[in-house]
Amino acid sequence: CSTFMFHAGKSTAGGQILFLSGQVDDRTIQKYEKEAKDKSRESWYMAYIMDTNEEERLKGKTVEVGRAHFETENTRFTILDAPGHKSYVPNMISGASQADIGVLVISARKGEFETGYERGGQTREHVLLAKTLGVAKLVVVINKMDEPTVQWSKERYDEIEGKMIPFLRSSGYNVKKDVQFLPISGLCGANMKTRMDKSICSWWNGPCLFEILDKIEVPLRDPKGPVRLPIIDKYKDMGTVVMGKLENGTIREGDSLLVMPNKTHVKVTGINLDEKKVRRAGPNENVRVKVSGIEEEDIMAGFVLSSVANPIGAFTEFNAQLQILELLDNAIFTAGYKAVLHIHSVVEECEIVDLIEEIDMKKAKVTDPKKKKTKRKPLFVKNGAVVVCRVQVTNLICIEKFSDFPQLGRFTLRTEGKTIAVGKV
């Protein structure tokens, strides 16, 4: 089960989770503490567990999607620590598209919540992306509650929760069913592995983070269905190794599979979960699969390992239903519009070649949803519109119909570093 964190102390919270679940020993922590002190960044030492490269440590920003593993009583988790910073949204998309649970980390510190949340702040874009990318369940962690400006104030907690709820609703989350809020301190580890001490915070009676994560039910995938493993990375290691999250099916050592779209037959010679070698892996697992029969340079991120009998299709054109979020100033969305398409681990330039119909969602809801009232073929559409259009890419890409495999059929369109639309194939 993959969870996924952004914002406002998330690397620190991620580091703390690994420490509390026994993945990192005291000696390592002491080493990081000393390192952070030497750089006069004392409060960052927990983040060093997640942020392993120098650039991230100097800037205190997470650039790559950090990966780590931990276990609660019943579940094995993969943390994908995705970057919260604006210029790294594409990396964030690759993290979120593999996650089942989103952990939205929000800072309670005066001014910090406001900055992330206001128009143009990252919190909003992240929540929308998470929803579109199929992160069905959200845990909203209100962090830095121990901060001098906050001091575990119930008023501050309620204020943030009160502002977040309407926004989460408007992003499509069912707040009662799919969202849980809780206060924590990532730096001192309060309310993370064990329930909050009443002497620290008298008003909180709810569960701690590990309890919440343990109880969340994630969507079922089909272990007997066709294999679908979108490749997010590859490397050489006495052969070719591909990495990604198995979205469907089961992979066993010795299996013959296809790398799509180049239709290369490969044989599975080894499977790794975390550091452990295993004989087989099922849906939802983040795996590394060693294959023979293909060179590492012949694989690109976005290729998909799939079953020979029922391989994923590869296309240069497809129809999609798009929701336009916010176009760049003065832009109009019309045939000929160019953008960058992100779908599972694919990043490709694309062009909208035809607008087929605009869907009036208001009328569609009132009458029978199957008989959506359509307008005539539009020449262009504006912000907020829902439109069926034809999308064209230069290179073959592996995609599925949203109705067959939602996780391989939902996408975002971005222009000049900004998400302008979300859609389904």
Side-chain angles (χ1 to χ4, degrees), residues 205-231:
N205 302 314
C208 63
L209 180 62
F210 278 31
E211 279 179 86
I212 288 177
L213 291 176
D214 227 358
K215 290 201 172 80
I216 289 180
E217 289 176 11
V218 296
L220 290 166
R221 311 263 195 259
D222 183 3
K224 293 193 173 70
V227 169
R228 294 288 181 268
L229 179 96
I231 296 167

Side-chain angles (χ1 to χ4, degrees), residues 26 83 96 100 121 134 141 171 183 193 217 221 231 277 298 340 384:
D26 285 335
D100 302 302
V141 168
S171 304
K193 188 184 180 180
E217 289 176 11
R221 311 263 195 259
I231 296 167
K277 263 190 91 67
D298 295 328
V340 180

Side-chain angles (χ1 to χ4, degrees), residues 47 52 61 67 77 90 159 169 177 179 183 196 221 251 272 284 318 379 389 425:
T52 46
K61 281 183 192 151
R67 288 175 166 274
F77 288 93
E159 175 194 8
R169 264 198 201 111
K177 230 176 61 198
V179 182
M196 183 89 77
R221 311 263 195 259
I251 294 182
N272 271 48
N284 277 346
F318 61 94
L379 287 171
C389 57
V425 176

